[in-house]
């Protein structure tokens, strides 16, 4: 019996009604089909992908002030700029030894275990490459350039109030653009209501949709309530915080035949997620295990850690985290906000003795995860 | 052996009376040359004379004493600093001693050379002390953790938030908010009488400073020499520092033992390791102003940090000191209870917590039983990966060495042999990808550990007193690095204290801490069963009782910026 019958929505969300759409399928059936195409399982056909998220002119509506990109991180294989590639390829294991990326709707196990792939939420490239010697600048740049400087598949928005612009809330999301594009296409009223509930009651349908003429409207993933005035789902483009990409990283790991991770010295990216996923799944596949995405498939937020966070009086903070979409085990939206009546706000909190001036400082203590099932026989 | 029993005492007796390793060959130390050292920075005699010797190569003496001082009068303190400068042991002196000691061992065919001894001194200062001593010349240290100090960062490291807890910073013997030390002097000697003499001499000359606290420390007596108080061999795995000695035939600071000629050009390991498993790291990870590790590359250097420290501080290093009391009873009581739940022997369970058997043999190469021969083999005891099967390496010829014939480590991607929570897998994940991405990043986290036990050993214990296990004993943890936040603090907070990082499986049960609004329970997921058993770790085995963040300056600064009239 297969591991699952169909792909469920992230965190098993039930945002969409169950009534059939114009083509006779339900939203959930369409989601199942789209995920199957995104995941590119062994023997599967590459999917058509989703349409580009931007507006008619290809530009976002408003994503806030841009900051210059960081210094050139160098060639993707980790070499210094200008440095020639290695003379010889790294030793590899035979392809037949590698486990495969498999469809849990087809395979039936045995499941050795569920593996959590977990990485830092704050941009590792900003901390260790672009602004290695200036953490304050790393935090500032990440807060101010969500599209390019929040690449670890979790994005955040810091809400500021008052004349001193102190942070009052930091909201994190790992919700995929693909889910919201489908929801935006099929149930606009639901989209508006969700924005009004989670971002602002001031949200209007016209804020979220382009009029494409002829009675058609297109959901704008980079509307103001998902960029400069709030956050609802992922939009990042550096390299691209999309479900298709994280699933592609998992799939790519299963064809990484390098004999071990030290031999894979040319591992590709300054970002934590890319190499963590590629190398960890690769190690599992090289050990001969097949790998399947764990249902419900999605990126989640986990491991938020407020150790060393203190109130203005120096005492440890209370629990100011709220999972507002998903579940504690499959958190899609996490908000950090001090309840009214405490007499202070997030910007008054100190982390390890340092005042919170940027949402990125909180992002450093949040992790983004995706889970995979490991199939085979335990050694 | 008769006398009172406890889980701790029983375990330590077993460890102390285990079959000794078969004597192997004396390490002739083929002075291996890497294929090309020309890219590595030169450490000439003048440079070596400016670097404190406990940073590189490290004191590694059996008897040490730590003096924590406060400055009460600036002018007098400056004179004292200039005066003690002559006592400070340089990298040059320490390296020469090591070379001579090694040569005597080889020539005489022995492991110890009792008549070759030395007594050494090093010094480090808090940020506040540097400001006091140097005044306007102090400059700006970009390392914010150093500026803040250990007491301010304490709860961020997972130390207790409740003032009632014995590890709370308000209760520290030194380094708490009300007793922070300005100066740390480290004295080290091969003989206890030499140590006593040197400490007495320093104290006689230190009347112008206030002695806040002092701590005697010593390696445990045989047969547990080199072990820490829980009973485990410590300090096996340290990074090797890249660099060459141009006035000594361009010999490397860290000897290279892997054969390069005839090696597969695609095999980077001869350029990556000194001893097998000893990762080579660029010196700028430990010494300010030197080329440092490129965080996306295993081999390449990155330019030194710019603008993050005053010019005079180049060749200095940050020193983290943590006085860690060890609750040996709690550790072994937990091991016994957890072993019963997991259905394995307590010493095996304890070894899962550490990642090595008490002898030092790694679980990765000795999965089911301790192997003292493996532990004694420095060419094998650190040669293993975690994720993939470890390939053998070809060593340069070594006189008297029969070769590494121990079973190679099989891959352990699922963590069933060496769990992901094991202390050595937590703090040095080796080939594993981590929450920061590729294993290249892990090289930028490495620290130079220079710790030593303090307090009486439980075994051997001629008194067999039932109270002995409750005495004050533990580890004077010291480490050097070019940053505090990206190295020591990173390893502590992001890996040891996390159940998810660098890979999920539980907290580091040995040194990990957790304090969520006073709740300190941690957990481990023991992989011996299917599914793994999650076991709560309710007590702290390691309790912070003091310390500080210091800076070990270049020696020349002691008579210029920091000392003198």
């Amino acid at each position: 019996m297969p591991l699952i019958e169909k792909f469920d929505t992230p965190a098993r969300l039930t945002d969409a009604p169950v009534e059939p759409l114009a083509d006779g399928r339900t939203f959930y059936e369409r989601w199942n089909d789209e995920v199957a195409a995104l995941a590119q399982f062994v023997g599967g056909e590459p999917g058509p992908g989703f349409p580009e998220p931007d507006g008619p002119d290809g530009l976002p509506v408003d994503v806030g002030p841009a900051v210059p990109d960081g210094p050139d991180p160098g060639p993707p294989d980790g070499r210094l700029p200008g440095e020639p590639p290695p003379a010889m390829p790294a030793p590899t294991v035979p392809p037949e030894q590698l486990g495969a990326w498999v469809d849990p709707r087809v395979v039936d196990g045995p499941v050795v275990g569920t593996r959590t792939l977990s990485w830092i939420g704050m941009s590792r490239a900003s901390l260790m490459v672009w602004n290695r010697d200036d953490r304050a600048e790393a935090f500032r740049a990440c807060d101010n350039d969500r599209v390019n400087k929040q690449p670890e598949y979790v994005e955040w928005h810091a809400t500021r109030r008052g004349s001193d612009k102190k942070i009052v809330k930091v909201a994190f999301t790992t919700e995929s653009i693909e889910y919201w594009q489908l929801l935006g296409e099929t149930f606009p009223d639901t989209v508006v209501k969700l924005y009004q509930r989670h971002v602002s009651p001031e949200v209007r349908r016209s804020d979220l949709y382009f009029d494409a003429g002829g009675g058609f409207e297109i959901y704008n993933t980079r509307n103001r309530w998902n960029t400069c005035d709030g956050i609802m789902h992922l939009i990042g483009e550096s390299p691209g915080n999309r479900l298709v990409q994280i699933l592609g990283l998992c799939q790519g790991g299963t064809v990484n035949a390098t004999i071990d991770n030290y031999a894979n010295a040319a591992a590709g990216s300054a970002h934590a997620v890319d190499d963590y996923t590629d190398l960890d799944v690769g190690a599992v596949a090289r050990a001969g295990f097949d790998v399947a995405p764990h249902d419900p498939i999605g990126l989640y937020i986990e491991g938020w850690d407020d150790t060393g966070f203190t109130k203005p009086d120096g005492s440890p903070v209370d629990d100011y985290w709220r999972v507002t979409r998903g579940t504690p085990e499959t958190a899609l939206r996490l908000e950090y906000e001090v309840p009214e009546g405490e007499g202070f706000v997030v910007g008054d909190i100190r982390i390890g003795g340092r005042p919170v001036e940027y949402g990125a400082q909180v992002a450093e203590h949040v992790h983004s995860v995706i889970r995979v099932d490991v199939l085979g026989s335990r050694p | 052996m008769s006398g009172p029993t406890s889980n701790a005492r029983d375990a330590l007796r077993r460890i102390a009376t285990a079959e000794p390793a078969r004597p192997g060959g004396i390490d002739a130390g083929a002075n291996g040359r890497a294929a090309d050292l020309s890219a590595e920075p030169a450490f000439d005699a003048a440079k070596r004379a400016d670097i404190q010797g406990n940073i590189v190569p490290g004191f590694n003496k059996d008897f040490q004493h730590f003096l924590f001082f406060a400055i009460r009068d600036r002018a007098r303190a400056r004179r004292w600093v200039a005066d003690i400068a002559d006592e400070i042991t340089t990298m040059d002196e320490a390296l020469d001693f090591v070379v001579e000691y090694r040569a005597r061992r080889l020539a005489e065919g022995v492991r110890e050379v009792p008549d070759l001894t030395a007594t050494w001194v090093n010094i480090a200062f808090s940020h506040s002390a540097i400001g006091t001593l140097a005044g306007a010349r102090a400059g700006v240290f970009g390392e914010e953790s150093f500026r803040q100090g250990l007491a301010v960062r304490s709860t961020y490291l997972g130390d207790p938030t409740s003032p009632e807890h014995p590890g709370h910073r308000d209760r520290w013997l030194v380094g708490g908010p009300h007793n922070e030390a300005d100066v740390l002097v480290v004295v080290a000697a091969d003989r206890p009488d030499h140590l006593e003499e040197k400490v007495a001499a320093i104290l006689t000359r230190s009347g112008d400073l206030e002695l806040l606290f002092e701590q005697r420390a010593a390696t445990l007596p045989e047969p547990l020499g080199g072990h820490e108080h829980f009973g485990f061999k410590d300090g096996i795995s340290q990074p090797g520092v890249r660099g060459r000695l141009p006035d000594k035939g361009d010999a490397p600071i860290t000897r290279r033992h892997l054969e390069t000629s005839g090696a597969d050009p695609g095999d980077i390991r001869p350029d990556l390791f000194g001893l097998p498993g000893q990762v080579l790291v660029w010196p700028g990870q430990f010494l300010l102003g030197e080329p440092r590790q490129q965080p996306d590359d295993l081999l390449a250097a990155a330019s030194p940090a710019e603008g993050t420290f005053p010019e005079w501080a180049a060749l200095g290093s940050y020193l983290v000191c943590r006085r860690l009391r060890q609750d040996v009873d709690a550790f072994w009581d937990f091991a016994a209870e957890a072993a019963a739940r997991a259905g394995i022997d307590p010493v095996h369970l304890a070894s899962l917590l550490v990642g090595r058997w008490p002898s030092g043999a790694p679980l990765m190469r000795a999965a089911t039983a301790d192997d003292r021969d493996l532990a004694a083999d420095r060419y094998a005891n650190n040669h293993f990966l975690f994720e993939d099967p470890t390939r053998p390496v070809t060593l340069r010829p070594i006189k008297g060495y029969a070769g590494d014939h121990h079973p190679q480590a099989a891959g352990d991607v699922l963590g069933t042999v060496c769990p992901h929570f094991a202390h050595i897998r937590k703090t040095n994940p080796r080939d594993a990808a981590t929450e920061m991405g590729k294993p290249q990043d892990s090289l930028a986290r490495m620290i130079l550990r220079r710790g030593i036990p303090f307090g009486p050993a439980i075994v051997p214990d001629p008194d067999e007193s039932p109270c002995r296990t409750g005495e004050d004993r533990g580890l004077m943890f010291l480490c050097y690095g070019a940053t505090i936040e990206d190295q020591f603090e990173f390893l502590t907070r992001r890996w040891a204290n996390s159940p998810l990082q660098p890979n999920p499986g539980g907290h580091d049960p040995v040194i990990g801490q957790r304090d969520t609004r006073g709740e300190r329970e941690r957990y481990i997921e023991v992989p011996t069963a299917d599914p793994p058993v999650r076991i709560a770790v309710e007590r702290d085995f390691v309790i912070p009782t003091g310390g500080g963040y210091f800076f070990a300056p270049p020696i020349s600064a002691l008579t210029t910026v920091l000392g003198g009239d």
Side-chain angles (χ1 to χ4, degrees):
Chain A
M1 186 170 171
L3 296 180
I4 61 172
E5 188 184 317
K6 62 177 175 62
F7 295 120
D8 205 340
T9 55
R12 309 199 193 282
L13 291 172
T14 54
D15 296 322
V18 297
E19 67 243 28
L21 300 163
D23 65 358
R25 292 184 294 165
T26 67
F27 173 90
Y28 300 95
E29 287 167 337
R30 276 197 59 182
W31 179 251
N32 170 73
D33 294 345
E34 297 288 0
V35 171
L38 294 177
Q40 300 179 56
F41 295 114
V42 172
E45 292 295 321
F50 284 98
E52 286 303 307
D54 298 330
D57 57 359
L59 293 175
V61 174
D62 187 344
V63 294
V67 294
D69 276 335
D72 175 13
D77 62 0
R79 285 174 283 128
L80 294 172
E83 186 183 330
M88 292 283 289
T92 58
V93 300
E96 59 270 21
Q97 183 179 316
L98 295 175
W101 176 241
V102 296
D103 187 340
R105 300 172 307 165
V106 173
V107 300
D108 60 0
V111 176
V112 174
T114 299
R115 195 168 179 90
T116 301
L117 311 181
S118 167
W119 56 90
I120 186 172
M122 165 64 181
S123 164
R124 182 247 175 205
S126 292
L127 283 174
M128 292 304 294
V129 181
W130 300 331
N131 302 109
R132 185 177 180 182
D133 298 322
D134 190 345
R135 291 173 62 85
E137 175 57 26
F139 294 136
R140 189 197 69 79
C142 288
D143 264 31
N144 287 351
D145 186 1
R146 186 168 141 209
V147 169
N148 295 301
K149 296 287 171 66
Q150 296 183 14
E152 303 286 4
Y153 291 81
V154 59
E155 296 173 17
W156 64 90
H157 177 84
T159 304
R160 297 175 182 270
R161 292 215 187 99
S163 56
D164 53 3
K165 301 279 187 211
K166 274 193 185 164
I167 294 177
V168 296
K169 180 167 76 176
V170 185
F172 298 89
T173 186
T174 52
E175 293 208 53
S176 69
I177 207 168
E178 293 97 331
Y179 178 84
W180 280 86
Q181 283 180 299
L182 183 61
L183 196 63
E185 176 196 328
T186 53
F187 294 102
D189 288 344
T190 300
V191 168
V192 174
K193 283 180 184 157
L194 287 171
Y195 267 85
Q196 288 171 340
R197 185 190 313 160
H198 292 287
V199 183
S200 170
E202 296 176 26
V203 175
R204 298 288 171 262
R205 189 176 178 129
S206 56
D207 297 332
L208 307 182
Y209 283 85
F210 292 113
D211 181 359
F216 292 102
E217 55 184 357
I218 299 174
Y219 171 60
N220 177 14
T221 59
R222 293 195 183 180
N223 65 80
R224 60 175 277 224
W225 298 108
N226 193 36
T227 52
C228 50
D229 291 328
I231 189 168
M232 193 70 233
H233 59 78
L234 301 174
I235 55 166
E237 285 297 324
S238 177
N241 291 341
R242 303 189 188 203
L243 189 60
V244 63
Q245 269 144 331
I246 190 66
L247 292 174
L249 286 169
C250 294
Q251 185 269 342
T254 62
V255 299
N256 180 352
T258 314
I259 198 162
D260 61 45
N261 288 341
Y262 277 160
N264 192 8
S269 167
H271 306 301
V273 55
D274 299 39
D275 291 321
Y276 182 90
T277 311
D278 180 38
L279 296 180
D280 195 72
V281 172
V284 172
R286 282 195 298 276
F289 297 107
D290 289 337
V291 182
H294 180 77
D295 194 68
I297 294 173
L299 288 149
Y300 301 108
I301 307 166
E302 197 170 292
W304 48 93
D305 182 4
D306 58 14
T307 304
F309 285 37
T310 52
K311 300 179 184 179
D313 66 3
S315 62
V317 295
D318 295 320
D319 186 357
Y320 303 142
W321 306 95
R322 284 187 308 142
V323 175
T324 52
R325 295 255 302 158
T327 72
E329 293 76 31
T330 53
L332 291 168
R333 184 181 180 88
L334 176 72
E335 296 184 358
Y336 192 71
E337 183 177 23
V338 181
E340 271 197 51
E342 290 267 348
F344 61 93
V345 297
V346 172
D348 296 313
I349 289 173
R350 288 181 177 256
I351 300 176
R354 302 172 191 174
V356 177
E357 295 173 317
Y358 300 103
Q361 291 170 264
V362 183
E364 192 183 10
H365 303 291
V366 163
H367 291 86
S368 188
V369 312
I370 189 167
R371 296 190 182 88
V372 296
D373 288 325
V374 177
L375 286 74
S377 301
R378 273 175 92 86
Chain B
M1 203 184 285
S2 61
T5 65
S6 67
N7 288 317
R9 212 185 288 279
D10 288 346
L12 290 168
R13 282 185 190 131
R14 274 180 63 183
I15 293 165
T17 55
E19 183 92 20
R22 283 187 292 255
I26 300 296
D27 171 15
N31 195 16
R33 282 183 292 279
D36 181 9
L37 286 180
S38 60
E40 298 192 11
F43 284 77
D44 61 18
K47 195 168 173 180
R48 299 196 303 271
D50 206 18
I51 296 169
Q52 296 199 43
N54 199 28
I55 307 171
V56 181
F59 282 172
N60 197 28
K61 296 290 185 202
D62 288 337
F63 303 95
Q64 299 193 27
H65 200 94
F66 300 88
L67 298 165
F68 296 84
F69 293 104
I71 295 171
R72 298 297 179 220
D73 180 284
R74 176 178 183 265
R76 289 179 173 169
R78 280 187 59 88
R79 282 197 289 274
W80 176 85
V81 170
D83 181 51
I84 203 170
D86 284 342
E87 297 275 0
I88 302 304
T89 308
T90 69
M91 173 183 173
D92 202 29
E93 290 172 274
L95 271 181
D96 281 348
F97 180 91
V98 168
V99 170
E100 186 182 352
Y101 197 92
R102 197 179 288 143
R104 286 276 307 271
R105 287 178 64 200
L106 177 62
E108 296 166 30
V110 296
R111 294 200 166 275
E112 304 290 336
V113 186
D115 63 301
L116 184 59
T117 64
T119 305
W120 291 338
V121 181
N122 265 192
I123 190 168
F125 301 85
S126 70
H127 181 252
S128 168
I130 290 174
T132 299
L133 293 169
R137 297 177 64 187
V140 177
F141 282 83
E143 181 63 32
E144 190 169 2
S145 297
F146 174 61
R147 301 200 307 268
Q148 291 177 280
L150 176 61
V152 170
R153 299 291 278 175
S154 167
T155 58
Y156 182 78
L157 300 176
D159 290 351
T161 57
S162 168
E164 288 74 47
H165 193 288
H168 190 268
R169 60 190 168 202
D170 287 353
R171 294 171 166 241
W172 287 358
L173 298 168
V174 66
H178 307 295
N179 56 3
E180 289 186 87
D182 291 319
V183 188
L184 171 58
V185 174
V186 181
V187 188
D190 292 300
R191 286 173 42 167
D193 53 336
H194 292 173
L195 183 73
E196 295 276 356
E197 229 173 270
K198 178 60 72 176
V199 170
I202 290 174
L203 287 175
T204 300
R205 296 156 67 182
S206 302
D208 289 329
L209 276 68
E210 179 184 350
L211 180 66
L212 292 179
F213 181 74
E214 58 183 315
Q215 178 67 59
R216 175 62 52 93
T219 54
L220 299 188
E222 294 300 333
L224 294 179
H227 292 234
E228 46 74 47
H229 280 290
F230 294 146
F232 288 80
K233 192 74 186 280
D234 198 10
I236 294 170
S237 183
Q238 295 262 30
V241 179
R242 291 188 184 272
R244 57 192 168 87
L245 309 172
D247 52 324
K248 303 205 187 260
D250 254 2
I253 294 174
T254 305
R255 290 184 297 159
R256 315 296 159 93
H257 294 276
L258 273 65
E259 184 64 73
T260 54
S261 66
D264 174 0
D267 187 354
I268 65 166
R269 294 176 301 166
D271 292 319
L272 181 60
F273 296 130
L275 287 163
Q278 180 193 33
V279 176
L280 293 166
V281 177
W282 288 86
Q285 294 300 127
F286 313 112
L287 296 165
L288 296 183
E290 291 296 299
R292 50 188 176 160
Q293 203 67 26
Q294 226 267 47
D296 290 328
D297 197 299
L298 290 171
L299 304 178
S303 53
E306 282 183 12
T308 59
F309 57 90
E311 219 171 285
W312 64 262
L315 298 181
S317 184
Y318 294 105
L319 169 58
V320 174
C321 174
R322 295 264 274 171
R323 186 185 189 276
L324 303 173
R325 185 166 71 78
Q326 289 177 256
D327 189 342
V328 181
D329 272 331
F331 179 85
W332 283 106
D333 286 345
F334 173 79
E337 289 162 21
R341 278 190 63 184
I344 61 176
D345 175 77
V347 174
H348 186 186
L349 192 290
S351 303
L352 293 179
L353 306 182
V354 175
R356 293 181 185 269
W357 295 92
S359 71
L363 287 174
M364 289 303 302
R365 300 192 68 173
T368 56
D370 202 346
D371 183 342
R372 288 180 159 254
D373 293 337
L374 168 62
D377 184 346
R378 64 199 294 258
Y379 300 101
N381 67 12
N382 204 29
H383 176 49
F384 59 91
L385 302 178
F386 284 123
E387 305 275 286
D388 287 283
T390 304
R391 294 168 284 152
V393 289
T394 303
L395 295 170
R396 297 177 63 80
I398 302 169
K399 185 177 172 185
Y401 183 60
D404 178 0
H405 301 296
H406 307 280
Q408 291 293 339
D412 186 34
V413 68
L414 299 184
T416 56
V417 174
C418 182
H420 290 295
F421 62 72
H423 174 61
I424 69 166
R425 195 162 186 168
K426 276 284 196 187
T427 53
N428 180 13
R430 298 182 182 235
D431 59 312
T434 74
E435 53 138 4
M436 299 301 279
K438 56 177 84 65
Q440 284 84 328
D441 182 278
S442 300
L443 272 65
R445 311 293 170 186
M446 291 190 163
I447 52 177
L448 293 172
R449 291 177 296 141
R450 302 287 183 242
I452 183 170
F454 70 88
I458 294 173
V459 170
D461 170 17
D463 294 336
E464 295 286 341
S465 163
C467 299
R468 293 271 338 255
T469 54
E471 284 175 328
D472 188 27
R473 58 175 54 82
L475 181 73
M476 283 299 286
F477 173 86
L478 273 74
C479 74
Y480 290 95
T483 75
I484 295 175
E485 184 158 14
D486 286 342
Q487 293 169 266
F488 166 74
E489 287 190 347
F490 179 95
L491 294 173
T492 301
R493 180 194 171 84
R494 299 199 68 90
W495 285 359
N497 291 359
S498 169
L500 291 179
Q501 317 301 344
N503 282 286
H507 300 85
D508 181 327
V510 181
I511 66 164
Q513 297 191 91
R514 171 181 169 250
D515 197 295
T516 304
R517 291 165 272 287
E519 171 57 56
R520 292 186 64 78
E521 186 176 288
R522 301 164 288 149
Y523 72 85
I524 56 174
E525 290 178 346
V526 180
T528 53
D530 183 10
V533 175
R534 179 177 282 209
I535 298 178
V537 184
E538 292 169 357
R539 290 169 71 179
D540 292 313
F541 310 135
V542 174
I543 299 105
T545 57
Y549 286 164
F550 300 96
F551 180 69
I555 297 169
S556 55
L558 299 176
T559 52
T560 53
V561 176
L562 299 175
D565 290 320

